[in-house]
């Protein structure tokens, strides 16, 4: 068998063994990231909440640092965040967040093992990825990177997604129940961006209350430094246009 394949299998087995014992990594997990990146911010806050040490590797996508041969060999999609846990490579923020909890969580509160509770967290994560975050991107990416004008139709679509989130939050303290989960940590970065950009979401009462509650819950895990700070960096890009 090819030596590289064997090394990859061993790395995966080592990661699985550590997962079963819920031990902390034997060395800091490398995270290739950029501070204003929303997915990077959610991964970093999850790591803080779990007490996982990260070795942050600044990867400036504006300068093409994610398209070097070495990076593409590691991650052919050349995206951030990408993590390297002692040879186990993973990208996509929501996958990384769930891996962190499964491998190193002291309990399952952030990502419940109960099938129905986990299914609800997964549904919220997929709602964020395919609807809420996508509609945020549809509105703001053209403004941030193409200098286009504010699109009222895209804003209305985003408000529709926020209204759905508002309904989901009815009778719940957090998006998937009474406790903070990785779904909240994923979704909160979108709201942090909207707050920094000055988007008016005040009509969604449940969302407003949840946002304030989640910010306070995440304060010990670097919310102001990681998430709010990153959102303000993005907002400064928008103001330059």
């Amino acid at each position: 068998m090819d030596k590289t394949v064997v090394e990859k299998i061993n790395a995966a087995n080592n990661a699985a063994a550590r997962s079963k014992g819920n031990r902390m990594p034997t060395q800091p997990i490398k995270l290739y990231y950029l501070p204003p990146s929303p997915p990077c911010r959610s991964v970093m806050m999850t790591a803080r909440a779990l007490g996982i040490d990260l070795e942050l590797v600044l990867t400036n996508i504006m300068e093409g640092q994610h398209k070097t041969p070495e990076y593409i060999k590691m991650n052919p999609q050349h995206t951030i965040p990408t993590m390297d846990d002692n040879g186990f490579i993973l990208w996509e923020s929501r996958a990384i967040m769930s891996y962190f909890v499964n491998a190193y969580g002291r309990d399952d509160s952030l990502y419940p093992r109960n099938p129905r509770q986990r299914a609800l967290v997964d549904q919220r994560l997929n709602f964020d990825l395919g609807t809420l975050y996508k509609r945020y991107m549809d509105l703001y990416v053209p403004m941030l990177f193409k200098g286009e004008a504010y699109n009222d139709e895209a804003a209305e679509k985003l408000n529709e997604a926020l209204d759905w989130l508002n309904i989901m939050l009815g009778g719940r303290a957090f998006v998937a129940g009474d406790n903070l989960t990785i779904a909240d940590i994923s979704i909160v970065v979108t709201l942090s961006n909207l707050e920094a950009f000055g988007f008016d979401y005040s009509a969604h009462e449940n969302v407003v209350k949840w946002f304030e509650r989640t910010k306070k819950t995440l304060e010990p895990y670097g919310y102001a430094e990681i998430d709010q700070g990153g959102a303000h960096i993005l907002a400064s890009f928008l103001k330059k246009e």
Side-chain angles (χ1 to χ4, degrees):
M1 187 178 293
D2 183 84
K3 182 179 179 181
T4 303
V5 174
V6 173
E7 290 174 348
K8 289 181 178 178
I9 292 173
N10 288 337
N13 289 338
N14 289 338
R18 290 194 300 275
S19 172
K20 291 178 182 178
N22 283 333
R23 297 197 302 268
M24 286 294 104
T26 56
Q27 59 191 37
I29 296 175
K30 285 185 180 179
L31 185 73
Y32 297 82
Y33 86 116
L34 192 65
S37 162
C40 292
R41 284 147 45 193
S42 63
V43 168
M44 292 165 69
M45 285 191 291
T46 301
R48 285 274 186 97
L50 293 167
I52 296 172
D53 290 333
L54 298 177
E55 178 185 338
L56 298 174
V57 182
L58 187 64
T59 307
N60 193 333
I61 60 175
M62 308 303 289
E63 296 179 358
Q65 293 178 356
H66 62 314
K67 292 186 177 180
T68 64
E70 295 79 13
Y71 198 93
I72 292 174
K73 182 179 180 181
M74 176 179 64
N75 174 355
Q77 288 183 270
H78 50 81
T79 55
I80 55 171
T82 295
M83 64 143 241
D84 178 352
D85 183 6
N86 196 28
F88 177 60
I89 309 298
L90 190 65
W91 58 94
E92 296 293 346
S93 63
R94 294 157 188 84
I96 296 172
M97 294 163 73
S98 61
Y99 168 75
F100 280 176
V101 180
N102 288 332
Y104 302 118
R106 294 180 180 86
D107 56 48
D108 67 341
S109 59
L110 285 177
Y111 194 40
R113 295 187 184 94
N114 177 281
R116 292 190 176 185
Q117 293 175 357
R118 176 164 288 201
L120 197 58
V121 174
D122 288 339
Q123 187 274 326
R124 302 305 199 239
L125 288 169
N126 281 283
F127 166 75
D128 181 37
L129 176 63
T131 303
L132 181 62
Y133 185 68
K134 180 183 182 301
R135 293 189 181 191
Y136 149 78
M137 295 279 282
D138 289 344
L139 175 60
Y140 283 106
V141 166
M143 297 171 63
L144 283 166
F145 301 110
K146 298 179 182 178
E148 295 184 11
Y150 188 88
N151 186 316
D152 288 328
E153 184 177 350
E156 187 58 37
K157 285 285 188 181
L158 177 55
N159 255 315
E160 182 182 45
L162 287 167
D163 191 49
W164 292 333
L165 178 61
N166 196 67
I167 294 169
M168 293 176 199
L169 283 163
R172 290 189 171 94
F174 295 97
V175 296
D178 295 328
N179 301 310
L180 181 86
T181 67
I182 57 173
D184 297 282
I185 301 175
S186 181
I187 292 173
V188 78
V189 298
T190 301
L191 267 294
S192 297
N193 287 349
L194 296 183
E195 181 182 55
F197 292 163
F199 186 89
D200 184 9
Y201 53 85
S202 60
H204 311 286
E205 183 178 354
N206 291 335
V207 173
V208 172
K209 292 178 179 178
W210 163 83
F211 186 37
E212 293 305 314
R213 184 180 303 116
T214 303
K215 286 195 287 187
K216 289 180 181 178
T217 305
L218 288 172
E219 278 179 2
Y221 310 120
Y223 174 79
E225 170 198 350
I226 296 169
D227 195 25
Q228 202 168 50
H232 288 160
I233 294 173
L234 277 181
S236 71
F237 295 161
L238 189 65
K239 292 171 183 176
K240 287 178 182 178
E241 296 295 336

